[in-house]
């Protein structure tokens, strides 16, 4: 099995993150599974929907490339899941989104979920995700710290910086847990991996979930199930397969100007 893991950060600007992510991914996969990280340039350096859509376009192109190069599954390693549905409509291999996979799995760990994102500008985006995934009755709230994506990468430098970010995260998570949240989700692959070094990270009994292993394992499971029953994503509604000429048009016209 071969999995393409799509980061929204490139190696040039996120070397410390990639160097930590590679062994983490290798520890997640089953024997015989290969997983490769691929980045996006320019990377997602600013918390804004316009950046999300720019990166989403490149991600969708990469999903098509992954399928054509023989990958068995594609993981969108970006909690905002920008372009997830569109990618599923362009390829037949399983496409797993970090945000969607994490939220759906966490519904099995607790009744009420809370999310702490890195920046307030992501809060409206997350509420759109929550609604799209049908989880408005399960997600009790979304709180935020005050980092840009590029800034939080600096916390990978030292243990002290990592703990400082963890403390800021926990401070935002505390009122969520106090109001009844059972499970806390860091809103991003970068903070998820950063906090994975803190074994059994909890906030007053509520587990803080690293969704990266969840997304990888869901990708492996999706491939295995496809081999068993031949089925994949629905081809009605949101995931209707785009015609070949539409996909080629999308790939060959990258700019709107």
């Amino acid at each position: 099995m071969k999995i393409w893991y799509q980061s929204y950060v490139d190696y040039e600007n996120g070397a410390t993150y990639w160097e930590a992510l590679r062994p983490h991914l290798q520890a997640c996969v089953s024997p015989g599974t290969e997983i490769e990280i691929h980045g996006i340039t320019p990377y997602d350096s600013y918390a804004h929907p316009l950046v999300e859509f720019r990166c989403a376009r490149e991600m969708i192109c990469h999903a098509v490339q992954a399928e054509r190069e023989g990958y068995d599954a594609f993981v969108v390693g970006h909690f905002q899941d920008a372009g997830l549905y569109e990618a599923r409509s362009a390829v037949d291999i399983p496409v797993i989104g970090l945000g969607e996979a994490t939220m759906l799995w966490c519904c099995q760990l607790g009744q009420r979920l809370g999310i702490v994102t890195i920046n307030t500008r992501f809060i409206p985006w997350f509420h759109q995700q929550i609604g799209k995934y049908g989880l408005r009755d399960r997600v009790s709230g979304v709180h935020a710290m005050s980092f840009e994506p590029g800034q939080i990468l600096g916390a990978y430098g030292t243990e002290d910086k990592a703990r400082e970010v963890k403390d800021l995260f926990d401070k935002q998570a505390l009122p969520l847990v106090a109001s009844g949240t059972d499970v806390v989700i860091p809103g991003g692959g970068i903070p998820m991996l950063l906090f994975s070094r803190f074994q059994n990270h909890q906030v007053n009994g509520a587990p803080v979930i690293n969704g990266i292993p969840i997304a990888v394992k869901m990708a492996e499971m999706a491939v295995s199930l496809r081999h068993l029953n031949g089925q994949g994503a629905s081809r009605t509604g949101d995931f209707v397969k785009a015609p070949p000429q539409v996909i080629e048009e999308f790939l060959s016209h990258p700019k709107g100007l």
Side-chain angles (χ1 to χ4, degrees):
M1 190 183 301
K2 193 174 180 181
I3 299 174
W4 178 305
Y5 188 93
Q6 182 63 65
S7 174
Y8 277 38
V9 178
D10 56 13
Y11 183 78
E12 180 181 358
N13 293 283
T16 54
Y17 171 59
W18 275 44
E19 292 301 330
L21 182 60
R22 281 197 181 103
H24 190 70
L25 292 175
Q26 291 301 324
C28 294
V29 296
S30 302
T33 297
E34 298 177 32
I35 188 163
E36 296 180 2
I37 311 171
H38 298 260
I40 286 178
T41 303
Y43 76 109
D44 187 353
S45 61
Y46 187 79
H48 195 278
L50 195 60
V51 179
E52 294 297 313
F53 278 103
R54 173 182 60 75
C55 292
R57 180 183 179 84
E58 187 167 348
M59 180 276 287
I60 297 163
C61 292
H62 286 180
V64 175
Q65 179 184 347
E67 182 175 55
R68 292 178 178 181
E69 291 183 2
Y71 286 82
D72 298 291
F74 187 93
V75 175
V76 182
H78 184 68
F79 193 86
Q80 286 77 3
D81 290 343
L84 174 62
Y85 280 21
E86 292 77 11
R88 284 184 181 149
S89 73
V91 299
D92 291 317
I93 61 174
V95 180
I96 305 298
L98 178 60
E100 182 186 52
T102 303
M103 286 188 238
L104 294 179
W105 176 257
C106 285
C107 286
Q108 300 179 74
L109 305 181
Q111 182 64 25
R112 301 184 72 198
L113 319 179
I115 300 173
V116 178
T117 179
I118 64 171
N119 191 290
T120 56
R121 290 193 297 276
F122 278 142
I123 291 178
W125 183 285
F126 281 6
H127 281 297
Q128 291 178 29
Q129 280 182 271
I130 292 161
K132 186 163 61 174
Y133 302 154
L135 297 174
R136 292 197 190 280
D137 291 336
R138 300 295 297 274
V139 179
S140 56
V142 181
H143 288 191
M145 297 181 285
S146 57
F147 292 97
E148 297 298 341
Q151 288 178 308
I152 201 169
L153 287 171
Y156 279 83
T158 68
E159 188 73 17
D160 288 343
K161 289 182 180 178
R163 190 164 293 279
E164 181 181 339
V165 176
K166 175 184 176 293
D167 290 344
L168 291 171
F169 176 92
D170 291 354
K171 183 178 179 180
Q172 291 296 329
L174 277 169
L176 288 170
V177 176
S179 66
T181 292
D182 302 308
V183 181
V184 183
I185 303 171
I190 294 173
M192 283 177 174
L193 181 60
L194 183 69
F195 300 150
S196 69
R197 68 182 67 189
F198 302 108
Q199 184 70 14
N200 195 24
H201 183 186
Q202 297 184 9
V203 176
N204 282 2
V208 177
I209 302 302
N210 173 13
I212 295 172
I214 295 167
V216 171
K217 287 300 182 186
M218 281 198 176
E220 288 186 321
M221 181 176 67
V223 173
S224 297
L225 289 173
R226 191 177 182 213
H227 288 163
L228 285 171
N229 57 33
Q231 293 179 333
S234 171
R235 288 311 182 201
T236 67
D238 291 311
F239 304 146
V240 171
K241 183 73 178 289
Q245 68 272 18
V246 171
I247 295 174
E248 293 305 322
E249 181 183 64
F250 182 85
L251 296 174
S252 61
H253 292 78
K255 294 182 179 181
L257 296 177

